[in-house]
Amino acid sequence: MRVLISVDMEGISGIVHPTETNPDRYDYERRRALMTAEANSVIAGVLDAEPAAVVWVADAHGPFRNLLPEELDRRARLVRGKPRPLGMLGGLDDRTDAVLLVGYHARAGRGPSVLAHTMNDGILDVRVAGRSLGEIGLNAAMAGHLGVPVVLLSGDDSACAELSDLVPSAVTVAVKEALGQSAAVALHPEEARERLRGAAAEAITRHTQVSPLALAGPLEVEVDLSAPSTVDLATLVPGVSRGDGGRTVAFTAADFGDAYRLVLLLAQLATIKPG
């Protein structure tokens, strides 16, 4: 069995503020240790259920260089650094049997939810066939495009509800209850890790009962961008046009794989400052 664990940071227990997730800020080192510990708990749970599993762990926050390699469970392989194919799902292919999303957050505009956003602050919303999708939905649908189910998600209660809306049979672990964008009631990290280990084992044991999130193409995609200058850049991409209003671009994707890759490109364009 082959498993991919994608680990973000905002949904780790105890984390509530951007200073804790930013490599340039004072509290980041402590929080990346918490992130690594939660990843290890999920690795352990996967291997409790399937001792012979091949486990890949994709560092999926910010620069994709957050997990502490020397502290990660040595039985796993670490996918690290960017840019790389499939972004947060680096290492995913059609040989993968299950995906687990750890430390994830809700989409931009959803709340109350801790550190909710979609890709970065330059993207306000992504709609695929009229449905708003954040990182949870985009990654679940990309995995589904390859026939792979997302079987587990951890994060705050809002993030868990977001996956449950899309994949009702997936296991979710709420490690904190959101009170706002930068406030939550969190489990003790050790309690969170114990729950994650058990939930990961459960998710792997019943992974064949979870259907992949499959969105058949062609797909109409709209992306609302924060900066009008990003709209100007985006319309230089063949097939991308201005949508309604000054902040929206639209395109038609042959399938979800194409849609996902173009959204990743738009997220990178949103980081470019004008001038």
Side-chain angles (χ1 to χ4, degrees), residues 42-58:
V42 175
I43 295 167
V46 168
L47 294 172
D48 287 343
E50 194 72 32
V54 175
V55 181
W56 286 27
V57 178

Side-chain angles (χ1 to χ4, degrees), residues 17-50:
H17 196 274
T19 60
E20 299 174 314
T21 65
N22 187 328
D24 297 328
R25 305 303 290 270
Y26 78 99
D27 217 14
Y28 168 76
E29 290 299 326
R30 294 178 62 193
R31 302 315 175 200
R32 69 192 297 215
L34 292 178
M35 179 187 183
T36 305
E38 288 200 7
N40 282 337
S41 294
V42 175
I43 295 167
V46 168
L47 294 172
D48 287 343
E50 194 72 32

